[in-house]
DNA sequence: GCAGTGGTAAAACGTTCGTTGTACAATTGC
DNA sequence: GCAATTGTACAACGAACGTTTTACCACTGC
């Protein structure tokens, strides 16, 4: 079994559930079921672990969102929300939690945002032959992620319908 | 001068900028320009200070968003984003930062979300004679707040236009 | 058989955390 | 003039933090 991966997966969940700064190394080692010595051997320090957890989330997230249309994007997001608790964008939260003071975290957040924009832009171009609606769909996507944390899956279904309307009727 | 208010206002900014758990009492007393003894006399403890800062943010936010139409709502949000740095919803972040383990924070977040929903629902009813589009507008609002943290005011302008289209063309 | 690898447990490092105690200064109302 | 109020500075508390050290165990391949 891959110990490093096991640590990172546990950390992704722990940071999401309990916060980045508020999650001490004790809680992280307990969640991963490894000694602190092993964790430090594999990850170096807490900042690098945060970055690794974010990278893991990003890869898992975009794997789940590997789709061919905007509608499918929101359908997959709905699937995600049924499998995982929604607590708002983990990357936005990581930045706020750490006060944007951790370089490793800032870098990972930047990569995520760039990747999300590219994904949305590509889908929008495919359907409208223009990038113009990218921001609009991006806003709805971010809104769905945020609102799902207290409106549940209804927020995502609403977002899905809204996106369809927008792609038809936006200038 | 009202010392308590001065402490709370400084705390609102400090928590927003540096995170809730990551902001120590030293930083909070420094920002408020008071001694730690004074802060504790007025606020009791850190959890209560967090709640007070969130209440302050809520009141300030809804005062800025005291409008008569959905379009004006987004216009005011754009004004807000030009006066303040956007780092995503402070309430969502407070919940994630503390791992939803602080009752005082959970309560304030619940009040905020309820008030936001009521505001949006009232505006939507006024314009469409139905509450049906509430979730859709709520999603766009949340998305504007989140996306503005890295897309700037363009996200809010895009959200404003999207909301107008939706109110016209949603079933 | 033995070096190498990859893990454990437990204690300790110095620092920072949230919070309180003590002692003192400035302003105010009667 | 004096008591009350409201603030300060500063040191201390025990606990928790991130990190490292020390010593030890189990498995692997040659």
């Amino acid at each position: 079994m891959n110990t490093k991966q096991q640590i990172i997966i546990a950390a992704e969940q722990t940071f999401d559930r309990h916060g980045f700064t508020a999650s001490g190394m004790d809680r992280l080692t307990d969640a991963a079921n490894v000694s602190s010595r092993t964790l430090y051997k594999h990850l170096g320090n807490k900042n690098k672990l945060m970055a690794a957890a974010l990278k893991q989330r990003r890869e898992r997230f975009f794997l789940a969102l590997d789709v061919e249309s905007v509608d499918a994007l929101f359908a997959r997001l709905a699937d995600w929300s049924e499998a995982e608790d929604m607590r708002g964008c983990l990357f936005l939260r990581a930045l706020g939690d750490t006060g944007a003071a951790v370089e490793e975290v800032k870098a990972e957040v930047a990569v995520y945002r760039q990747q999300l924009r590219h994904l949305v832009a590509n889908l929008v171009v495919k359907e409208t032959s223009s990038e113009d609606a990218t921001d609009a769909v991006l806003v709805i996507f971010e809104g769905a992620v945020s609102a799902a944390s207290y409106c549940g899956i209804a927020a995502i279904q609403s977002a899905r319908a809204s996106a369809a309307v927008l792609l038809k009727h936006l200038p």
Side-chain angles (χ1 to χ4, degrees), chain A:
Chain A
M1 90 195 66
N2 187 340
T3 306
K4 183 174 180 181
Q5 194 65 10
Q6 154 190 350
I7 295 171
I8 294 173
I9 289 173
E12 185 202 340
Q13 225 192 81
T14 303
F15 285 137
D16 187 22
R17 261 201 246 274
H18 301 101
F20 289 81
T21 306
S23 292
M25 298 306 276
D26 283 12
R27 182 177 270 156
L28 291 161
T29 52
D30 283 1
N33 244 311
V34 296
S35 67
S36 69
R37 206 66 187 73
T38 302
L39 192 153
Y40 277 94
K41 276 260 163 72
H42 283 290
L43 273 308
N45 58 41
K46 191 185 179 183
N47 288 350
K48 288 182 189 166
L49 176 58
M50 288 194 274
L54 289 174
K55 178 162 179 273
Q56 161 73 16
R57 165 66 69 111
R58 174 169 58 82
E59 290 170 353
R60 220 163 54 83
F61 196 54
F62 285 114
L63 204 71
L65 300 181
D66 182 18
V67 296
E68 300 290 315
S69 73
V70 169
D71 191 61
L73 179 71
F74 286 96
R76 290 286 185 83
L77 184 61
D79 293 345
W80 176 281
S81 88
E82 289 195 319
E84 316 234 356
D85 290 345
M86 301 287 281
R87 298 184 178 84
C89 176
L90 189 62
F91 298 85
L92 187 150
R93 286 170 46 207
L95 220 51
D97 195 327
T98 60
V102 179
E103 287 314 313
E104 293 95 330
V105 168
K106 277 171 67 177
E108 269 307 321
V109 172
V111 171
Y112 165 78
R113 287 175 170 172
Q114 186 184 320
Q115 192 169 345
L116 179 62
R117 171 170 278 279
H118 280 148
L119 169 63
V120 170
N122 285 340
L123 296 175
V124 166
V125 165
K126 192 183 292 183
E127 293 179 48
T128 68
S129 307
S130 153
E131 279 198 354
D132 292 353
T134 301
D135 268 4
V137 174
L138 209 48
V139 162
I140 294 200
F141 186 88
E142 294 276 8
V145 170
S146 288
S149 71
Y150 64 103
C151 301
I153 200 170
I156 300 174
Q157 287 164 340
S158 170
R160 184 180 183 179
S162 295
V165 169
L166 281 180
L167 288 182
K168 272 222 156 56
H169 295 94
L170 219 53

